[in-house]
Amino acid sequence: MVRILHVSDSHGFALGMQDIVAYEKAFPVDMFVHTGDICQDAFEDDITYAAPQNYALTLGNHDMILRQGIDPSGNHWEQQPTQQQAYDKFFKNYYAANNLTIQQGKTWWYRDIGNIRVLGLNSCTMGAALTEQAAWINGMLDECMRAGKSVIVFSHYPDIRDTVYPCSFTCEKYYSKNGITGASDALYGGVAMFFDTVQAYYTRGLKVLGWFCGHEHADAIVTSKGFPVVIIGSMKIDDYNDLYRANTGHTVRTLANLYEFDEELNVLQIFRIGADCKYSGAGRRLMLSYDLTEKRVVAQCPAY
């Protein structure tokens, strides 16, 4: 059994991050991943509030925009720090503590957990960095396929071309109105490209246990790719997720998913951490189970 804890889009919310870091220390997992927008608004923002030495990080759009690019009339996302600057801020002092393998000056990484390789992608790369990361992904997937390794992928952005699966985990009131907003190829060309690359290897027989991302600030699962794509809600307080908290009040300060991969049964189970309104004990609620062999949701929690 492999257990991975996942949060995203903390945007400067220190109390929520303190709670989930404390949870991880009390109930150890194999890996803890934050899928970006750790910065409140822009690259220059402080991130020490979130104790980044405790988990692996993939970068979000707010982590990769300079403050000078923020404009009320429309942000200039192309105004980015260099890869070296991003590496120095987000990875240089933290990657060793989290057992990541990362090239100096780069913002994507991997980690092996037994026979599983976890890939952390930077959805927001552009230009030469995008080309380099795309080649790295191909190399990683080819190596895993040859070695018979399973793959798990983390990134900030989901694929805008997908549609969510209607279930009690997916926040229908958000996605029926907005769909997956994601990022277009015109903004970050790697988002669709990376999904297509992984899909191509999966079609050829690579075992992909799942892809996990954030950005939307609302829970959802996508099942159309065969492997599950899970979008986690925001650490910021809203009413788009399975928790007793809203803009007007809340009983928990954190939101996280716990993924349990049972390789013998070939099943992924998704638990919600922070669901203190539920009766499953310790603020943990089983949200759904996905059968990786049958490629479908086989159980889900009651509607919330």
Side-chain angles (χ1 to χ4, degrees):
M1 184 82 70
V2 172
R3 304 169 78 238
I4 298 179
L5 188 64
H6 177 205
V7 300
S8 196
D9 297 81
S10 52
H11 287 288
F13 184 37
L15 294 176
M17 286 303 299
Q18 288 170 13
D19 286 352
I20 202 61
V21 168
Y23 175 92
E24 189 270 340
K25 291 183 180 301
F27 303 95
V29 297
D30 295 288
M31 194 170 184
F32 180 9
V33 184
H34 185 309
T35 50
D37 281 359
I38 187 174
C39 292
Q40 182 170 341
D41 297 302
F43 169 77
E44 292 88 347
D45 292 336
D46 173 62
I47 64 169
T48 58
Y49 79 89
Q53 67 272 15
N54 291 291
Y55 46 84
L57 176 67
T58 69
L59 300 185
N61 49 308
H62 285 277
D63 306 321
M64 288 296 292
I65 185 173
L66 296 172
R67 189 165 302 282
Q68 67 191 37
I70 295 179
D71 188 328
S73 65
N75 291 333
H76 300 281
W77 301 104
E78 73 282 359
Q79 295 191 25
Q80 295 188 334
T82 66
Q83 284 292 298
Q84 185 66 53
Q85 288 171 327
Y87 169 84
D88 288 345
K89 180 181 179 74
F90 298 113
F91 298 102
K92 182 179 179 179
N93 297 323
Y94 310 121
Y95 77 88
N98 291 292
N99 299 313
L100 305 184
T101 299
I102 185 171
Q103 294 176 276
Q104 197 278 335
K106 308 304 177 188
T107 55
W108 48 89
W109 49 263
Y110 77 89
R111 176 178 171 182
D112 287 333
I113 305 174
N115 197 48
I116 297 172
R117 176 157 293 180
V118 181
L119 304 181
L121 309 184
N122 182 350
S123 302
C124 306
T125 48
M126 298 176 176
L130 171 58
T131 301
E132 186 174 1
Q133 186 179 188
W136 177 86
I137 293 170
N138 269 289
M140 284 287 109
L141 298 178
D142 184 68
E143 181 180 327
C144 290
M145 194 158 184
R146 292 174 184 274
K149 285 181 173 289
S150 300
V151 170
I152 296 170
V153 185
F154 285 90
S155 70
H156 183 65
Y157 275 109
D159 188 346
I160 194 172
R161 301 167 298 176
D162 278 327
T163 56
V164 300
Y165 178 74
C167 64
S168 60
F169 177 69
T170 295
C171 183
E172 190 67 20
K173 66 181 176 182
Y174 174 89
Y175 290 98
S176 61
K177 178 180 179 181
N178 301 302
I180 298 178
T181 58
S184 68
D185 286 345
L187 180 58
Y188 301 126
V191 177
M193 180 198 308
F194 297 163
F195 272 97
D196 288 345
T197 300
V198 172
Q199 184 84 57
Y201 275 91
Y202 176 73
T203 301
R204 289 166 50 194
L206 178 66
K207 188 173 182 180
V208 180
L209 301 181
W211 190 311
F212 306 94
C213 44
H215 180 70
E216 295 295 327
H217 292 211
D219 291 328
I221 183 169
V222 173
T223 60
S224 56
K225 294 184 182 297
F227 57 86
V229 177
V230 179
I231 305 171
I232 189 173
S234 170
M235 292 286 287
K236 294 179 67 177
I237 297 169
D238 55 37
D239 59 353
Y240 293 135
N241 306 290
D242 193 293
L243 291 171
Y244 269 1
R245 63 180 198 172
N247 290 322
T248 55
H250 59 284
T251 59
V252 290
R253 299 186 303 196
T254 196
L255 181 154
N257 284 348
L258 176 65
Y259 306 121
E260 290 189 352
F261 301 90
D262 188 322
E263 291 195 273
E264 184 176 342
L265 296 177
N266 207 29
V267 169
L268 162 68
Q269 288 190 304
I270 304 175
F271 295 88
R272 170 51 42 86
I273 305 302
D276 66 350
C277 55
K278 307 306 175 188
Y279 300 99
S280 52
R284 166 175 147 154
R285 173 179 178 161
L286 177 60
M287 301 302 295
L288 59 81
S289 298
Y290 186 90
D291 190 309
L292 293 156
T293 302
E294 297 184 10
K295 303 179 183 180
R296 66 183 182 91
V297 173
V298 292
Q300 59 181 294
C301 67
Y304 63 94

